[in-house]
Amino acid sequence: MYNSKITGLGFYVPENVVTNEDLSKMMDTNDEWIQERTGIKERRWIKEGSEDTTAVMGAKASRIAIERAGLTKDDIDFIVFATLSPDYYFPGGGVQLQEMLDMRTVGAVDIRNQCSGFIYAMSVADQFIKTGMYKNILVVGSEFHSGGLDKSTRGRGVTVIFGDGAGAAVLSRTEDNTKGILSSHLHSEGKHAKELIVESPSIMHWVPALIAENDENDESYYPYMNGTFVFKNAVVRFSEAIIEGLQTNNLEATDIDMLIPHQANLRISQFVQKKFKLNDDQIYNNIMKYGNTTAASVIIALTEAWELGKIKDNDLVVLAAFGSGFTWGSVIIRW
Ligand code: ACO
């Protein structure tokens, strides 16, 4: 059996910076509340009229990752695309990426696992490489949240935490079984689906019916989140997923060189850091700058940490995420 290792990383965020101060002009909120509860100072939101979409940002991040892998688009055998905010209801972003990057007729699969999307995407790609089916897989997480958020005071509990952006990794075959993805761990608990959800449009709430109803009080278009409940589950599941990954590989928390948690909330990351007694060099957070970019967050943070030289050869890198579904998981990597 082969192993898969990351050979290229890239990320892209829109230029437009939206500060907490900017948000306070749209809704009843303030910088102090947002920073105290979430750690977020600013996020990027696609500006009206920009060419950026979920797929376009994914393509921009992908071009960087492919080049850094020392490959060309023609070396890529397969695409795995994670997002909760696809450009179309269908088809998914994977085929758009295949077209935008002019990648022959390689297969493309879409992952619908929200904040755990990139973890699931990595795991799916890893299986295809381990079995020998593919050599180089493009794994992408991208989100265009700002187009679908409720920017009135009604939506403030959700809207202030989300940002737009994309990240991409090239996963490549290696015959060195001591390096690369050691294991991945995926979970779900659908009974909590409605605690973090966008209900419409959906097969049950078709757009024309919604327009006909024209009910301005209908909040089902916007994300609903039971924030406290999600928070409480997140801290538990993050920890479980990390422990599961460590135990599978006979490792201890002290072996972690770099933890990249999904950037849901700085307080969640800090809780996990404290629980595993990690010092500040063993965890990387950038939610302060980008907010929660859902399926893009782990890969954006991983890429940035790597660009800053915080990840070195042979380091034990742990990726972990929790999100809507609920879904959660981890990926353990020997760099
Ligand atoms: N500005 C000012 N006040 C606000 C805002 C805001 N933006 N949002 C809510 N409030 C008010 C509320 O109305 C409430 O007022 P009340 O006490 O008078 O009713 C008060 O602040 C407290 O609100 P809570 O929702 O209890 O605040 P909490 O401390 O729980 O923080 C937060 C909210 C930041 C959303 C937190 O619960 C959280 O981070 N949850 C987890 C997020 C997460 O991990 N999501 C998973 C990934 S996302 C995905 O999968 C798509």
Side-chain angles (χ1 to χ4, degrees):
M1 206 150 84
Y2 300 106
N3 235 14
S4 37
K5 64 169 190 190
I6 293 173
T7 51
L9 290 167
F11 82 97
Y12 170 83
V13 289
E15 267 175 41
N16 184 38
V17 175
V18 177
T19 63
N20 294 343
E21 181 63 28
D22 295 332
L23 291 184
S24 71
K25 290 174 194 144
M26 301 173 203
M27 61 186 79
D28 182 11
T29 190
N30 57 74
D31 179 51
E32 193 190 345
W33 191 97
I34 300 172
Q35 282 215 49
E36 194 183 298
R37 306 283 172 126
T38 72
I40 300 167
K41 296 182 188 194
E42 58 189 41
R43 72 286 293 139
R44 306 294 177 95
W45 279 3
I46 291 173
K47 222 181 179 141
E48 224 180 294
S50 159
E51 61 158 15
D52 285 338
T53 67
T54 296
V56 170
M57 292 191 295
K60 288 179 179 176
S62 297
R63 287 190 189 98
I64 300 169
I66 293 169
E67 195 190 326
R68 285 176 173 171
L71 300 174
T72 73
K73 63 181 176 63
D74 296 323
D75 298 311
I76 302 294
D77 305 313
F78 194 61
I79 298 165
V80 186
F81 194 108
T83 187
L84 67 65
S85 49
D87 293 358
Y88 308 126
Y89 186 78
F90 70 82
V95 296
Q96 287 179 274
L97 208 69
Q98 179 277 329
E99 195 261 330
M100 285 173 186
L101 298 181
D102 187 22
M103 293 166 69
R104 300 174 283 133
T105 57
V106 297
V109 70
D110 294 283
I111 300 283
R112 293 286 311 269
N113 286 89
Q114 301 65 249
C115 293
S116 311
F118 194 77
I119 299 292
Y120 271 74
M122 286 282 274
S123 182
V124 167
D126 183 39
Q127 310 314 311
F128 279 117
I129 288 181
K130 282 206 164 90
T131 56
M133 184 153 169
Y134 296 125
K135 266 189 180 164
N136 298 302
I137 301 182
L138 182 60
V139 189
V140 183
S142 181
E143 301 289 4
F144 179 3
H145 283 306
S146 60
L149 296 171
D150 181 353
K151 293 169 187 148
S152 72
T153 297
R154 186 177 68 176
R156 65 182 180 177
V158 171
T159 302
V160 301
I161 73 174
F162 289 104
D164 302 334
V170 176
L171 219 55
S172 301
R173 179 191 289 180
T174 169
E175 293 184 19
D176 179 355
N177 282 332
T178 63
K179 289 274 177 79
I181 295 183
L182 302 183
S183 65
S184 56
H185 312 271
L186 309 177
H187 296 279
S188 74
E189 201 171 27
K191 72 178 180 194
H192 296 314
K194 294 212 163 174
E195 304 301 337
L196 181 40
I197 189 169
V198 175
E199 281 194 65
S200 306
S202 72
I203 206 76
M204 290 185 286
H205 298 97
W206 279 112
V207 178
L210 287 166
I211 293 169
E213 278 172 23
N214 195 21
D215 177 1
E216 63 181 32
N217 295 318
D218 186 350
E219 295 179 37
S220 66
Y221 307 102
Y222 296 120
Y224 163 77
M225 177 167 74
N226 181 345
T228 315
F229 186 80
V230 172
F231 192 107
K232 285 182 185 157
N233 277 264
V235 291
V236 173
R237 298 308 194 187
F238 258 108
S239 305
E240 283 179 7
I242 294 166
I243 290 168
E244 184 183 11
L246 291 173
Q247 285 179 347
T248 302
N249 297 288
N250 293 321
L251 296 164
E252 308 275 341
T254 48
D255 294 316
I256 298 176
D257 294 301
M258 179 54 76
L259 171 67
I260 309 276
H262 161 55
Q263 301 291 290
N265 183 324
L266 192 60
R267 279 159 61 215
I268 295 177
S269 296
Q270 286 165 343
F271 179 95
V272 174
Q273 175 177 0
K274 211 167 152 196
K275 182 175 167 73
F276 290 98
K277 300 191 175 68
L278 302 178
N279 62 40
D280 290 348
D281 296 333
Q282 289 170 289
I283 185 165
Y284 188 72
N285 291 302
N286 59 8
I287 188 169
M288 304 74 96
K289 293 189 291 181
Y290 304 128
N292 177 344
T293 59
T294 305
S297 100
V298 170
I299 180 61
I300 289 177
L302 176 65
T303 304
E304 204 168 71
W306 173 79
E307 285 176 353
L308 293 169
K310 290 178 183 290
I311 299 175
K312 292 171 280 307
D313 194 33
N314 227 32
D315 274 358
L316 187 77
V317 179
V318 176
L319 315 181
F322 171 88
S324 162
F326 293 152
T327 60
W328 61 97
S330 62
V331 175
I332 314 294
I333 302 171
R334 178 67 67 190
W335 203 262

